[in-house]
């Protein structure tokens, strides 16, 4: 399968079968109320920033991508919603819901890269958790800006370069191979979600570890592209730090949400502007950032060494899968208070604990190590291997 087809098939499969898509509907067909409620919180917050009261949503033309829960919110408040998603069942569910509840929703299944979404058409474009997963994000940005009406507003959340959590996620993605998906899914479910796959933690792991594209952007580059395309930024928290790995909260750095207004109606041609765009691709947190701190650079070296040993078959696949699930505990443990990795990180610093973990892993799990070989031999003699 070529790269483009792999991207399409895997993104669809991942979100429909392994993460998020199925989360918002129970087996009995009813939507899980809390997940809709959770999305309402951030949609309402965005609408406040956009200065759009809920009662002004009536008949507003809204464009949205995602699992359907955000579209349901806008449609419930009377908006005229166009929705698309690369997934098929998400679209089917949303269209069925709209028909049953007599809401104005037109939803279709397509990759945003090839989809026609219209020009000068929408009052609001709402994109949360989308930009980072598009194959070539900046080309979709051209499409989004063209699709906005003059004076239309767009909300865009994005994966911010410089977050510790994405350092860990990129380390995991660097080490892992695709063939480990099923093993990771099983191990994670057995260890953390009472054997259930239809669970937040399972969706997170599947999404972070295996979605084909996970771009991280520095806000400087996002802002550059928005301005290049003529968009006006009307709200941004101005956090331009290169990175911050020192805090212990899940989001330790700002600058990952942006609000845009379009002040013109001229059509932008992708071919004319393409070369100047900076968010065609994201920044890898392991390979594309220059870190000053010695401990971070040491950890990058250890991550590369583990990969090398794994490729050379000196480390077993199951041990690498377990390591990756363990690494995730530094950033998204199921229950923060109960995670030893997380709690220790809070005390002595995240990278110090990561360092201890990676070193121990290499010392204890490299099968070519003399002591490990000798111990394996002992086990074999006792019939334990
Ligand atoms: C993280 S999830 C959605 C988050 C969203 N905030 C929500 O609650 O529905 C990402 C969504 O984007 C969709 N998606 C990813 N890449 C896409 C693409 N290239 N074209 C269309 N949809 C895409 C996925 O199928 C998935 O539903």
């Amino acid at each position: 399968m070529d790269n483009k087809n792999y991207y399409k098939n895997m993104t669809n499969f991942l979100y429909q079968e392994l993460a998020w898509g199925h989360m918002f509907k129970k087996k009995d067909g009813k939507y899980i109320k809390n997940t809709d409620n959770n999305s309402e919180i951030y949609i309402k917050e965005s609408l406040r920033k956009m200065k759009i009261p809920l009662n002004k949503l009536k008949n507003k033309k809204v464009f949205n991508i995602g699992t359907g829960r955000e579209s349901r919110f806008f449609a419930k408040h009377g908006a005229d919603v166009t929705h698309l998603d690369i997934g098929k069942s998400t679209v089917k569910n949303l269209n069925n819901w709209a028909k049953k509840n007599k809401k104005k929703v037109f939803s279709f299944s397509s990759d945003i890269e090839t989809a026609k979404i219209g020009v000068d058409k929408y009052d609001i474009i709402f994109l949360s958790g989308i930009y980072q997963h598009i194959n070539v994000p900046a080309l979709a940005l051209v499409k989004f800006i063209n699709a906005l009406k003059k004076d239309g507003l767009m909300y865009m959340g994005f994966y911010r370069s410089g977050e510790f959590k994405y350092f860990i996620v990129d380390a995991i993605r660097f080490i892992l191979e695709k063939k480990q998906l099923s093993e990771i899914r099983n191990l994670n479910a057995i260890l953390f979600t009472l054997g259930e796959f239809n669970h937040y933690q399972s969706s997170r792991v599947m999404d972070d570890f295996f979605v084909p594209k996970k771009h991280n952007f520095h806000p400087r580059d996002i802002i550059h592209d928005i301005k290049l395309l003529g968009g006006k930024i009307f709200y941004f928290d101005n956090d331009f730090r290169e990175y911050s790995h020192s805090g212990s909260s899940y989001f330790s750095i700002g600058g990952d949400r942006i609000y845009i207004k379009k002040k013109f109606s001229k059509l932008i041609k992708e071919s004319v502007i393409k070369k100047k765009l900076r968010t065609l691709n994201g920044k890898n947190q392991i390979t594309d950032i220059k870190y000053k701190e010695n401990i971070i650079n040491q950890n990058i070296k250890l991550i590369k060494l583990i990969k090398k040993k794994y490729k050379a078959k000196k480390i077993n696949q199951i041990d690498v899968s377990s390591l990756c699930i363990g690494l995730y505990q530094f950033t998204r443990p199921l229950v923060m208070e109960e995670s030893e990795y997380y709690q220790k990180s809070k005390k002595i610093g995240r990278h110090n604990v990561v360092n201890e973990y990676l070193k121990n892993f290499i010392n204890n799990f490299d099968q070519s190590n003399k002591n490990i070989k000798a111990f394996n031999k002992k086990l074999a003699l006792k019939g334990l291997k």
Side-chain angles (χ1 to χ4, degrees):
M1 205 184 296
D2 63 36
N3 275 348
K4 208 161 183 181
N5 275 330
Y6 173 77
Y7 165 79
K8 252 180 144 167
N9 286 331
M10 184 59 188
T11 306
N12 172 23
F13 180 64
L14 187 118
Y15 285 115
Q16 297 301 283
E17 310 282 339
L18 304 169
W20 309 123
H22 58 82
M23 287 281 298
F24 304 124
K25 219 161 178 234
K26 284 200 272 191
K27 288 192 182 86
D28 63 7
K30 288 202 181 107
Y31 286 102
I32 300 170
K33 241 193 152 353
N34 272 345
T35 60
D36 270 22
N37 287 349
N38 285 344
S39 71
E40 285 196 18
I41 297 169
Y42 64 74
I43 300 172
K44 282 181 180 164
E45 190 194 321
S46 285
L47 289 171
R48 277 194 292 277
K49 297 239 161 60
M50 291 172 161
K51 298 194 170 52
I52 303 176
L54 283 184
N55 61 7
K56 289 275 156 54
L57 280 178
K58 203 164 170 26
N59 296 326
K60 282 260 189 293
K61 292 216 177 290
V62 174
F63 177 79
N64 173 239
I65 301 179
T67 59
R69 59 181 179 157
E70 295 158 353
S71 287
R72 285 197 293 279
F73 175 93
F74 285 107
K76 274 187 215 160
H77 289 90
D80 179 352
V81 178
T82 300
H83 166 271
L84 79 79
D85 199 277
I86 205 162
K88 288 197 169 56
S89 52
T90 294
V91 164
K92 198 170 145 214
N93 289 341
L94 181 61
N95 279 328
N96 286 345
W97 173 88
K99 202 168 161 197
K100 195 170 154 220
N101 293 283
K102 299 191 173 53
K103 299 294 175 202
K104 279 184 274 182
V105 176
F106 169 67
S107 173
F108 64 110
S109 175
S110 177
D111 181 348
I112 184 63
E113 197 160 284
T114 45
K116 287 200 165 53
I117 61 168
V119 169
D120 249 335
K121 197 170 164 189
Y122 304 104
D123 301 293
I124 300 171
I125 296 186
F126 193 87
L127 302 168
S128 165
I130 308 297
Y131 201 60
Q132 56 269 13
H133 300 308
I134 297 170
N135 201 26
V136 187
L139 298 185
L141 187 62
V142 178
K143 204 175 268 192
F144 296 139
I145 300 264
N146 277 335
L148 266 183
K149 282 181 187 170
K150 183 169 179 280
D151 293 323
L153 305 175
M154 174 157 121
Y155 162 72
M156 209 170 82
F158 56 93
Y159 280 4
R160 210 263 198 221
S161 175
E163 284 275 12
F164 171 79
K165 64 181 172 170
Y166 296 125
F167 176 91
I168 294 293
V169 170
D170 275 349
I172 292 169
R173 293 171 70 96
F174 181 80
I175 297 170
L176 272 187
E177 289 174 9
K178 284 179 207 134
K179 65 176 182 199
Q180 286 167 267
L181 186 145
S182 152
E183 188 169 276
I184 293 275
R185 187 168 181 248
N186 295 350
L187 278 174
N188 185 64
I190 293 163
L191 291 170
F192 293 115
T193 67
L194 299 175
E196 175 61 89
F197 293 129
N198 196 8
H199 189 285
Y200 261 89
Q201 190 69 358
S202 183
S203 286
R204 283 172 172 171
V205 165
M206 287 293 106
D207 190 349
D208 279 340
F209 291 20
F210 294 107
V211 70
K213 289 288 176 181
K214 184 212 68 72
H215 302 275
N216 282 92
F217 306 100
H218 193 280
R220 203 191 305 111
D221 296 329
I222 295 264
I223 288 172
H224 170 273
D225 284 2
I226 291 167
K227 286 188 175 163
L228 183 73
L229 299 173
K232 190 173 175 292
I233 290 140
F234 71 89
Y235 186 87
F236 178 66
D237 72 4
N238 291 330
D239 191 335
F240 287 99
R241 282 175 287 175
E242 288 303 311
Y243 62 90
S244 166
H245 289 196
S246 53
S248 59
S249 60
Y250 175 58
F251 289 106
S252 48
I253 196 163
D256 61 351
R257 289 156 190 227
I258 200 152
Y259 293 84
I260 302 155
K261 186 167 190 166
K262 179 169 165 180
K263 292 295 268 175
F264 63 96
S265 50
K266 189 179 86 194
L267 184 75
I268 304 153
K269 283 207 175 104
E270 181 193 298
S271 55
V272 177
I273 214 138
K274 187 174 171 179
K275 279 198 181 128
K276 292 186 187 157
L277 292 163
R278 287 191 193 160
T279 60
L280 294 164
N281 217 334
K283 283 188 189 310
N284 186 296
Q285 304 298 290
I286 302 291
T287 53
D288 297 341
I289 299 188
K290 280 199 167 34
Y291 295 100
K292 289 192 292 288
E293 296 83 347
N294 188 26
I295 188 78
I296 306 184
N297 292 318
Q298 256 189 49
N299 286 342
I300 293 174
K301 273 194 189 145
L302 291 170
I303 288 157
K304 289 183 176 169
L305 182 64
I306 290 171
K307 177 73 181 180
K308 201 171 151 198
K309 285 180 183 286
Y310 178 37
K311 269 178 117 175
K313 298 196 181 342
K314 289 182 179 168
I315 301 181
N316 295 329
Q317 180 178 311
I318 184 84
D319 298 335
V320 169
S321 293
S322 309
L323 170 87
C324 291
I325 292 173
L327 268 175
Y328 205 56
Q329 286 293 300
F330 287 95
T331 154
R332 273 188 151 173
L334 180 56
V335 186
M336 299 246 179
E337 296 70 34
E338 288 174 10
S339 161
E340 198 196 333
Y341 297 171
Y342 183 78
Q343 292 303 333
K344 194 166 176 183
S345 296
K346 269 170 70 170
K347 284 190 199 119
I348 64 166
R350 293 167 141 172
H351 276 284
N352 286 322
V353 194
V354 171
N355 192 260
E356 185 182 333
Y357 184 49
L358 297 176
K359 278 184 178 158
N360 284 341
F361 182 78
I362 292 170
N363 287 337
N364 295 325
F365 291 91
D366 178 350
Q367 302 300 314
S368 66
N369 178 310
K370 215 168 66 215
N371 297 335
I372 294 168
K373 266 188 175 165
F375 188 67
N376 282 341
K377 216 168 169 181
K378 266 189 205 163
L379 288 178
L381 282 173
K382 290 187 184 302
L384 297 171
K385 202 163 169 82

